[in-house]
Amino acid sequence: MAALSLHSKPLLLQFMLLIIAFILGTRLHAADDPSLTLDYYASICPTVLETVKKQMECAVLSDPRNAAAVLRLHFHDCFVQGCDGSVLLDDTITLQGEKKASPNVNSLKGFEIIDKIKNEVESDCPGIVSCADILTIAARDAVLLVGGPYWDVPLGRKDSKTASFALANTNIPTPDGGLLSIISKFLYQGLSVTDTVALAGAHTIGVARCANFRARIYGDFEATSGQDPLSESTYLSSLKSICPPTRGAADNNISAMDYVTPNLFDNSFYQILLRGEGLLNSDQEMYSSVLGIQTRELVKKYAADPVAFFQQFSDSMVKMGNIANLDSFVTGEVRKNCRFVNT
């Protein structure tokens, strides 16, 4: 099946400039990262890794979808100000948090899981372990607990005393985004096209809201999947039964982004994209866009080789987790409560 563009008249020139920036190694986001170390807590809080693991085991055992929730929290944290725990801050009179930003308000869950882990860690090591580090470790354990790969987590982050509602609205990739938009937002964070495709594989677990896939299933879905409009697939029919064409009460209805193995971290997400059945426009564009020369080949690679996917996902998660809020290393703190700055 010929590759199809999901958007008319793409901004080819801008796309090529972004690819050139990538090829030349230009980092569109910031500066050198402060050094993080694997043994940061070895002497000052040696129990932290085991404590996070036990709490995540309980959370995922109670509901496998909690793995995706915590992983998504980590993504949304790192794409705004770096991995500094800013996404965990509640609104106060003096601080506008990120939780009510458009990409977050109906999307993010799992805050209570991080609260519980923080309470346990504070009991063992008061004032030592940052919320940013807890979230980073928890995201790794979340993936591992549903069948995904293990990776060592560099540690030593500080918690930011600030958040950015504005950056949360602009930096986080959107479900309906085109390939140009998605790649540019990853490049801005210093993440390559390869990182983009590998990290999108996180959608092998978790769900999406009807409001975020309605345009896809009533738009280009049939074109990418090769379905006869007069004879819709069972899958597309089931999606339309979950998500009617008009906005309203059904907006919060959900569907798995990987309908084959929704609670298992594997490479079936990419195999779904090969069939043109990706739930989100932003995902399917990686394979179906006429601009997706490199991304299409990566989708094929990860669909065929789960070991290659696991290895690259692990490497890309470390790279994403190392996106730093440089200010937090100078003015940051270790929050006592992940929802509020210390007083």
Side-chain angles (χ1 to χ4, degrees), residues 296-336:
R296 189 178 308 116
E297 293 306 311
L298 288 167
V299 169
K300 291 178 182 178
K301 177 181 179 179
Y302 300 147
D305 189 347
V307 174
F309 165 49
F310 273 27
Q311 181 60 61
Q312 187 58 56
F313 184 83
S314 299
D315 292 345
S316 296
M317 284 296 292
V318 172
K319 188 175 177 181
M320 185 187 76
N322 289 350
I323 299 172
N325 177 344
L326 301 180
D327 290 340
S328 72
F329 282 86
V330 178
T331 63
E333 62 185 8
V334 173
R335 290 186 214 134
K336 298 174 184 177

Side-chain angles (χ1 to χ4, degrees), residues 221-250:
F221 192 98
E222 291 172 349
T224 58
S225 64
Q227 295 295 323
D228 182 348
L230 300 178
S231 177
E232 293 177 355
S233 69
T234 302
Y235 177 49
L236 181 55
S237 296
S238 68
L239 290 176
K240 289 185 174 180
S241 69
I242 294 169
C243 186
T246 55
R247 296 172 59 181

Side-chain angles (χ1 to χ4, degrees), residues 18-304:
L18 287 168
I19 296 303
I20 291 170
F22 164 67
I23 293 172
L24 294 177
T26 301
R27 182 168 181 173
L28 303 186
H29 193 52
D32 296 331
D33 299 332
S35 59
L36 304 172
T37 63
L38 298 179
D39 60 352
Y40 186 84
Y41 294 110
S43 61
I44 56 177
C45 189
T47 60
V48 62
L49 295 178
E50 188 62 26
T51 300
V52 176
K53 178 183 176 183
K54 287 182 178 179
Q55 291 300 320
M56 281 306 304
E57 285 175 345
C58 292
V60 173
L61 184 62
S62 67
D63 185 349
R65 290 184 300 178
N66 283 332
V70 170
L71 182 57
R72 185 177 294 175
L73 271 181
H74 181 47
F75 270 76
H76 285 223
D77 183 37
C78 292
F79 269 70
V80 180
Q81 299 188 168
C83 310
D84 61 356
S86 62
V87 74
L88 303 173
L89 288 168
D90 282 349
D91 288 354
T92 67
I93 295 175
T94 58
L95 183 145
Q96 183 179 30
E98 298 164 15
K99 293 180 179 180
K100 294 179 183 178
S102 179
N104 294 341
V105 64
N106 293 307
S107 173
L108 295 187
K109 302 181 186 300
F111 296 104
E112 296 80 6
I113 297 171
I114 303 303
D115 290 339
K116 188 170 184 180
I117 297 173
K118 177 62 173 176
N119 289 338
E120 292 293 323
V121 171
E122 283 293 303
S123 295
D124 293 339
C125 314
I128 300 295
V129 183
S130 67
C131 298
D133 274 348
I134 287 173
L135 181 54
T136 308
I137 301 166
R140 187 274 309 276
D141 290 347
V143 171
L144 189 63
L145 287 165
V146 290
Y150 172 91
W151 61 91
D152 291 319
V153 179
L155 298 168
R157 299 163 188 81
K158 297 300 181 185
D159 295 322
S160 172
K161 294 180 180 179
T162 65
S164 180
F165 180 86
L167 289 180
N169 277 317
T170 58
N171 285 13
I172 297 172
T174 58
D176 61 349
L179 187 63
L180 170 64
S181 172
I182 299 301
I183 289 177
S184 67
K185 290 183 177 183
F186 276 79
L187 285 174
Y188 179 74
Q189 302 295 344
L191 299 168
S192 69
V193 174
T194 299
D195 295 322
T196 303
V197 179
L199 291 172
H203 288 169
T204 190
I205 55 174
V207 299
R209 297 170 58 243
C210 163
N212 289 329
F213 63 82
R214 176 180 285 118
R216 165 86 173 117
I217 64 174
Y218 291 99
D220 295 297
F221 192 98
E222 291 172 349
T224 58
S225 64
Q227 295 295 323
D228 182 348
L230 300 178
S231 177
E232 293 177 355
S233 69
T234 302
Y235 177 49
L236 181 55
S237 296
S238 68
L239 290 176
K240 289 185 174 180
S241 69
I242 294 169
C243 186
T246 55
R247 296 172 59 181
D251 284 0
N252 289 323
N253 290 353
I254 58 174
S255 179
M257 289 180 282
D258 174 357
Y259 66 84
V260 179
T261 52
N263 293 321
L264 178 65
F265 196 99
D266 59 14
N267 68 330
S268 62
F269 164 78
Y270 297 102
Q271 295 164 3
I272 290 170
L273 298 186
L274 295 186
R275 294 195 290 271
E277 295 184 338
L279 185 64
L280 301 181
N281 184 81
S282 57
D283 290 336
Q284 190 59 49
E285 279 258 312
M286 294 188 300
Y287 182 71
S288 297
S289 171
V290 294
L291 297 177
I293 298 170
Q294 183 179 358
T295 59
R296 189 178 308 116
E297 293 306 311
L298 288 167
V299 169
K300 291 178 182 178
K301 177 181 179 179
Y302 300 147

